[in-house]
Amino acid sequence: MATERIIKVGRGETPSTAALAHLKQLLTSGHLDGLMIPMAMGGGRTFMHVLVTDPDALADADPFAPVMPVNGATSVSRLTKLEAPSGRIGVVLRPCEIAAAIELHKLLQVRLGDVVVIGVDCPGTISVKDHIDLVDAGKDPLSAVAEEPGLLREACMTCDWTRVQYHDMLLGTFGSDGKHVIVVSEDETLLGGLDKAPKGALEARESTIEKIEDIREKTTEAVEKEVDEHLQGPEGVAKHWETCIVCHNCMEQCPVCYCNECFFESQTFRYEGDKMMLWARNRGSLDMPTDKAMFHLGRMAHMVATCIGCGMCTQACPVGINVGRAFKYVASRVQPVYDYKAGRSVDDPLPQATYLEDELEPR
Amino acid sequence: MTDKDRKGEGKAAAGDDFEPVIVGFFCNWCTASAADLAGTSRMQYPPNVRPIRVMCTGSVDTSFVLRALLEGADGVLVGGCHPGDCHYVTGNYRARRRLTGVIKILEALALDPERFRFEWISASEGAKFAKVVTDFTEDIKRMGPSPLKEL
Ligand code: SF4
Ligand code: SF4
Ligand code: FES
C-alpha cells in the first residue's frame, strides 16, 4: 500500500530545496547508495543528470529543474544495461523520462527493477537553448515561464504524461502553490521522518492534474490541426524537412532509438559515384547528402510505435525543424492500431514483439 | 536494365502509356511459387512487377517498403503465406503488424497509402496471384506515377 507523506516548504526554502533536503537525507542515512539527479552546470545555465554518492555534492542539484538537455532514460540505460549497479540508486525522472525508461525496459535496454525511480510532477521544460539564453540575460527561467507559458517546449505544452505513471517514490508539486511537496511510496525507508499528507493536499494535486491535462489536450488539438493543414502529402513532408542537414542528431538524442548500429548509418547508404550519377540523371538532380526522406520516414517506421513524445528530437535539431511534432502526430495514429500507448506501462507488450491471430488486414 | 529504360520509367506520365514499376516482396514458400505456377499455367497478368524473393514476409523490414517507394517504385506488393501456414510459424503475423504500421504512417501523412498492398497467396494460388497483380497494376495505373519518388 502506498503511503502519502508531505515535505513542508519552509521560510527561505523552495520546493526544490525542500525536496532536495529529503533526498540528501536518504543518501546520508544510507537508504540510497547513489542518486542520479539534475545538477546545475555552468552556474545554472543548464542542468544535467549527475550520479551522486557524496551527499555534500548535492548542493547544486535540483529535482525540478525546468530544462531537460538529455532524456534521463538514456542515462538509466547506460547505468543498468551491461550490469546492474550494486546498491540502491535513486534516479530522479520526469514522466516522459519514465515513459522512455519503460519502453527501454521492454526493449531490454534498461532494468527498471535495478533502480529506485523517483518520479517528479513536471509542469514542463524550456529548451536548453532558451534556458541558457534566459540565464545569460540575467533572468530566472522559472519566473520567465510563469510570465510567458509559450516559452515551454511544444512537447511539454502537448504532454501526455501529466500524471506520473510509474514510480518507486513520487515527488508531487502540483496543486501545492509552492508550499509543500507530496511524497508517495510503498517503501517506508524512503519516507522516513516525514509527516502524513493532509487530505486536502492530495485532492488539490488531483484537481490541478485534471486542469493541466485539459489545457494540454486542447493545445494538442491545435497542434494537430496545424499538422493536418501543413504536414500532409509529399510536398508537406518535403517542406517540413526542407532545411534538414541530415546530421541524424534527432535520432542520436531520441531515447527510444537504442540500436547500436543504426541501419540509416550503415554502408547500405554509401554508394558508388556512378549510382548517384544514375539517380541524378533520372530525376535531373540528386539532393546531397542523400536519403533525407528515407532517414526520417524509415526511422519513423522503425520506432514510432515506441515514440513517447518527449520532443528531444526537436530540441536537438540544429536547424530548428520540429521533428517531434511530426513523430508525435504519427505516433498517435499508429499506436492505437495495436491498442498501445508507448510509455504507459511495463505490462503492455511491445507491439512489434507480439501479435494476435485475429487482427488487422489481411486476414 | 539500362539507364535509358530506367529514365523512361521514372519520368512516364499518367495515361495509357504509363507502365508502373511495382516491387514485389514474395515469400519463397508461397507467393514466389504461386508466381511460377501462374507462369507455367500460362495465366495472363501484367509484367509490371519486379519480384524479390524473400525467405518469409517476416524478413521484410518496414524500411524496405519505404525505400522502394522513395526510390522509384509506383507500388509495393508483399505476398506471404496464409495465417497458420508460415514456415517460421509467426513470421506472417509479425509482418502484418509491422507493415500495417507503414500503411498507417503513409495514411497519417497523406503519402498515397494505396501504393502499398499486402496479400496472402499460397503456392497453389496461381490464379489469385494473377488476379492480385492485375488488379494492383490497374489501380496503380489509375493513380499515375508515384509522387513519393520525388521525395
Ligand atoms: S514532455 Fe511532459 S514530462 Fe517531459 S519535460 Fe515536457 S511536460 Fe515534462
Ligand atoms: S536533427 Fe534536424 S537537421 Fe539533423 S537530421 Fe534531424 S531533422 Fe535533419
Ligand atoms: S514463410 Fe511465408 S510468410 Fe513466413
Side-chain angles (χ1 to χ4, degrees), chain A residues 241 244-250 295-296 313 316-319 321 323:
Chain A
W241 275 285
C244 171
I245 59 170
V246 205
C247 63
H248 292 188
N249 227 23
C250 41
F295 168 63
H296 291 296
C313 42
C317 180
V319 292
I321 295 170
V323 185

Side-chain angles (χ1 to χ4, degrees), chain B residues 24-79:
Chain B
F25 292 100
F26 298 148
C27 168
N28 174 61
W29 303 106
C30 51
T31 310
S33 304
D36 289 345
L37 180 62
T40 50
S41 320
R42 298 181 185 280
M43 290 169 190
Q44 289 295 320
Y45 62 89
N48 300 67
V49 174
R50 314 287 188 273
I52 297 173
R53 189 184 287 254
V54 295
M55 285 311 289
C56 174
T57 54
S59 71
V60 180
D61 189 82
T62 46
S63 60
F64 299 175
V65 175
L66 287 168
R67 197 166 188 218
L69 289 172
L70 292 173
E71 291 196 3
D74 297 293
V76 172
L77 176 63
V78 174

